[in-house]
Amino acid sequence: MATPRVILVPIVANQASLDAVTVAATVAKPRKGRVYVVHIIEVTRSLPLNAELDAEARRGEQLIRQAEEVAAAAGYPVSGTLLQAREAGQAILDEAVDNAVDTIIMGVESSGNTGTVHLGRTVEHVLMNATCAVWVVRQSMIPQAEHHHE
């Protein structure tokens, strides 16, 4: 398997997304690859696609800043983009094609103490339809308070 050179990391408001950013930055750093972080605001069909969703945009920009900080802590810069789309999965695939991405890295959360993983419709759509490699990073089972002391 070739080392990814151009990586797209879709992010949402969870630790698994930030873990995926860390993985992407760590993988890209030795080869000086590029890492793109994207947050997609899904716009309901009852609104125009270019509707001004200020609260969602502020949250998305905050997530991108957080991802940039996580990547900086891993020692590698990323660039972030905020997009609006009807379906996040298709928007991720379109963004991957537009940026000649060779790997998409997505974080998924595990639920409770059982470690059960539910991929969700967006991750499933990307896995089923991507024309590039897709890596899925599962959130660590280590409680966050312990996780920072490793």
Side-chain angles (χ1 to χ4, degrees):
M1 174 176 65
T3 303
R5 304 258 318 136
V6 183
I7 303 169
L8 178 64
V9 185
I11 58 170
V12 294
N14 65 32
Q15 184 59 44
S17 286
L18 296 178
D19 290 349
V21 171
T22 300
V23 168
T26 303
V27 168
K29 186 177 180 179
R31 300 209 84 189
K32 295 181 178 30
R34 287 186 316 223
V35 179
Y36 299 101
V37 175
V38 64
H39 176 71
I40 311 228
I41 299 169
E42 284 189 313
V43 181
T44 62
R45 299 211 182 275
S46 63
L47 294 173
L49 190 53
N50 63 351
E52 292 194 26
L53 304 170
D54 294 337
E56 291 85 347
R58 278 193 301 278
R59 276 194 298 274
E61 288 165 359
Q62 185 178 15
L63 283 172
I64 290 169
R65 279 192 303 276
Q66 206 174 358
E68 289 169 344
E69 290 168 9
V70 165
Y76 204 71
V78 302
S79 60
T81 303
L82 184 63
L83 299 174
Q84 288 188 186
R86 297 285 183 212
E87 298 286 336
Q90 190 56 52
I92 291 164
L93 297 175
D94 292 345
E95 193 70 6
V97 169
D98 291 349
N99 288 290
V101 166
D102 56 42
T103 305
I104 299 170
I105 302 179
M106 303 181 79
V108 295
E109 289 192 300
S110 50
S111 56
N113 295 329
T114 63
T116 303
V117 174
H118 175 70
L119 296 179
R121 68 180 170 84
T122 301
V123 174
E124 287 180 2
H125 183 81
V126 171
L127 282 169
M128 296 293 296
N129 297 290
T131 56
C132 63
V134 179
W135 295 7
V136 177
V137 176
R138 188 195 74 181
Q139 176 184 358
S140 173
M141 295 287 290
I142 301 167
Q144 284 311 112
E146 298 171 29
H147 192 66
H148 293 299
H149 294 58
E150 290 179 349

